[in-house]
């Protein structure tokens, strides 16, 4: 077997894909001293990505986080290219951040496998797809791994590191160590389970809010006001779905339902009409809320209208499933929710503080009423 690359020895990285995530990932590597081959399939998008990096580096300079010289040096470390051969040349790691499509990702993994040095690790930034399946498209599945960044990659502290079925311990260790060297806090997802850690808990909580609305137990304003102003979460659930993208939530919820079953039954009659009408949330100006004039107004006086314990109970329940299935440990789950989404507590610590008996009673009461 080929000797694995340790996090410390990773020097040159290919970042593939220049959409929302790719340029931020490339920038993070470059600022932290890594050489980056940044690949896009077309020149226009590549030029835009380089402009985006430059703009973002300037923001860091304005805020005094880096000097102008450091920004210039970081920029000079990124080699933009449209050639896969050039992108894969002499790399120790490839991070793929192309569209969320398994066929495209498998083709890319196979191509990078053919073109890159034998010791290189191939990582995917997928939010939902199987790391194992992508790894199986290569001849080095033990050197493939999930490296799931959060948006915006330049600022978010969290990285989920996902073990595919064949990922070796050396590969995992290398990516955990590398993430720390990038100044991030990595959490380990020990199994290639759909939704990994953070998205899985979020979608469970979104679903609970959707059903509550659907059953007319509370309005979206009431739910969001309670979640924000009574629960201390940074955004209401409908506000957050709009922020993430109703289409993204819609796709992920179906994947989670197929993988994890009944408790993820998505309420498609709520989200599908929005997706079909291109009401995708903030990015299209309209979703659950109207974003055309900025952030929606969620009146704080509605903050007692929805019992936030219901959201917590669902989050704790999902965390319990992860513990049972050996997907993650409690500390990683809690860190993930706090760093990835700004939750005031992690679900495991919340459960311990609140009392597991109380959480159980909320879950049993909901299950008794709704069978979900
Ligand atoms: N947007 C987020 O908040 C977010 C967060 C974490 C992870 N992710 C994941 O990161 C990945 C990228 O997401 P995004 O939001 O940047 O997507 P995006 O749609 O903004 O960008 C994807 C880019 O990949 C390009 N592309 C497609 N096939 C390619 C190929 N074979 N070679 C090179 N480029 C190719 C597309 O042209 C596009 O520019 C996805 O897997 C997504 O699930 C996204």
């Amino acid at each position: 077997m080929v000797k694995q690359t340790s996090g410390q020895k990773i020097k040159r990285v290919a970042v593939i894909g220049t959409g929302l995530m790719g340029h931020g990932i490339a920038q993070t590597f470059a600022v932290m001293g890594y050489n980056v081959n940044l690949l896009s399939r077309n020149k226009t998008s590549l030029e835009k990505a380089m402009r985006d990096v430059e703009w973002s580096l300037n923001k860091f300079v304005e805020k005094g986080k880096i000097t102008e010289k450091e920004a210039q040096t970081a920029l000079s470390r990124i080699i933009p290219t449209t050639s896969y051969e050039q992108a894969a040349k002499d790399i120790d790691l490839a991070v793929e951040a192309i569209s969320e499509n398994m066929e495209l990702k498998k083709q890319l993994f196979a191509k990078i496998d053919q073109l890159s040095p034998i010791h290189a690790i191939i990582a995917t930034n997928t939010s939902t797809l199987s790391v194992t399946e992508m790894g199986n498209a290569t001849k080095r599945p033990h050197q493939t791994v999930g490296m799931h960044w959060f948006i915006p990659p330049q600022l978010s502290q969290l990285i989920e590191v996902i073990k595919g079925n064949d990922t070796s311990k050396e590969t995992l260790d290398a990516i955990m160590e590398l993430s720390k060297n990038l100044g991030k806090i990595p959490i380990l997802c020990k199994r290639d389970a759909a939704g990994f850690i953070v998205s899985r808990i979020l979608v469970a909580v979104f679903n609970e809010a959707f059903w509550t609305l659907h059953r007319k137990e509370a309005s979206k304003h009431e739910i969001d006001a309670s979640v924000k102003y009574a629960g201390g979460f940074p955004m209401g659930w409908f506000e957050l779905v709009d922020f993430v993208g109703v289409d993204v939530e819609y796709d992920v919820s179906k994947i989670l339902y197929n993988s994890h079953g009944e408790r993820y039954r998505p309420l498609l009659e709520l989200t599908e009409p929005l997706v079909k009408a291109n009401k995708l949330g903030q990015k299209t100006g309209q979703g659950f809320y109207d974003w055309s004039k900025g952030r929606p107004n969620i009146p704080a006086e509605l903050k007692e209208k929805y019992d936030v314990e219901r959201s917590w109970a669902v989050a704790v329940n999902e965390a319990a499933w992860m513990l049972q299935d050996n997907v993650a440990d409690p500390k990683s789950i809690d860190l993930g929710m706090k760093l990835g989404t700004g939750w005031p507590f992690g679900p495991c610590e919340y459960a311990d503080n609140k009392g597991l008996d109380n959480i159980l009673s909320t879950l049993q009461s909901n299950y008794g009423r709704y069978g979900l």
Side-chain angles (χ1 to χ4, degrees), residues 137-265:
T138 72
K139 294 195 179 69
R140 60 180 97 184
H142 54 283
Q143 283 165 240
T144 59
V145 66
M147 188 180 193
H148 183 215
W149 300 61
F150 286 71
I151 197 160
Q154 307 91 310
L155 297 177
S156 172
Q157 273 193 289
L158 185 67
I159 292 183
E160 284 181 338
V161 178
I162 300 117
K163 182 186 179 318
N165 291 356
D166 304 301
T167 308
S168 68
K169 181 173 181 319
E170 289 80 0
T171 300
L172 274 184
D173 289 348
I175 300 300
M176 291 293 284
E177 187 186 337
L178 169 73
S179 303
K180 288 180 198 157
N181 294 342
L182 288 168
K184 305 291 186 190
I185 300 179
I187 56 172
L188 180 61
C189 190
K190 295 186 268 184
R191 284 189 47 209
D192 190 8
F196 311 132
I197 299 173
V198 175
S199 306
R200 180 169 163 180
I201 291 186
L202 270 187
V203 171
V205 169
F206 292 158
N207 242 2
E208 139 63 26
F210 291 173
W211 282 98
T212 302
L213 175 72
H214 183 66
R215 295 184 190 112
K216 298 190 172 39
E217 292 168 319
S219 71
K220 64 186 176 207
H221 286 98
E222 289 171 342
I223 295 171
D224 279 4
S226 309
V227 166
K228 266 172 98 148
Y229 301 112
F233 293 91
M235 281 192 191
W237 302 141
F238 292 92
E239 197 183 4
L240 185 54
V241 172
D242 271 359
F243 188 70
V244 170
V246 183
D247 52 336
V248 175
E249 198 285 337
Y250 173 78
D251 289 339
V252 175
S253 68
K254 284 193 290 185
I255 291 170
L256 288 175
Y257 178 54
N258 290 334
S259 284
H260 300 301
E262 205 45 36
R263 68 185 189 282
Y264 275 97
R265 175 183 286 281

Side-chain angles (χ1 to χ4, degrees), residues 16-22 39 41 84 97-100 104-105 108 125-127 148-149 151:
I16 299 150
T18 52
L20 276 176
M21 296 298 286
L39 179 127
R41 288 178 302 184
Y84 289 89
I98 67 166
S99 316
E100 189 75 338
L104 288 179
K105 287 193 192 274
L108 183 69
N125 185 43
T126 183
S127 306
H148 183 215
W149 300 61
I151 197 160

Side-chain angles (χ1 to χ4, degrees), residues 67-135:
T67 64
E68 213 163 321
K69 181 146 194 307
E70 284 166 336
Q72 277 165 11
T73 309
L75 198 62
S76 71
R77 288 195 189 107
I78 304 178
I79 300 174
T81 179
T82 52
S83 148
Y84 289 89
E85 284 77 9
Q86 183 63 40
K89 197 163 178 267
D90 295 335
I91 58 167
D92 308 301
L93 167 71
V95 179
E96 125 348 77
I98 67 166
S99 316
E100 189 75 338
N101 174 305
M102 180 55 93
E103 279 320 303
L104 288 179
K105 287 193 192 274
K106 280 191 344 195
Q107 283 167 19
L108 183 69
F109 262 55
K111 199 178 254 180
I112 299 298
D113 183 35
Q114 277 171 12
L115 296 173
S116 64
I118 198 161
H119 71 278
I121 291 173
I122 310 177
T124 172
N125 185 43
T126 183
S127 306
T128 51
L129 302 174
S130 165
V131 174
T132 308
E133 208 176 322
M134 285 175 230

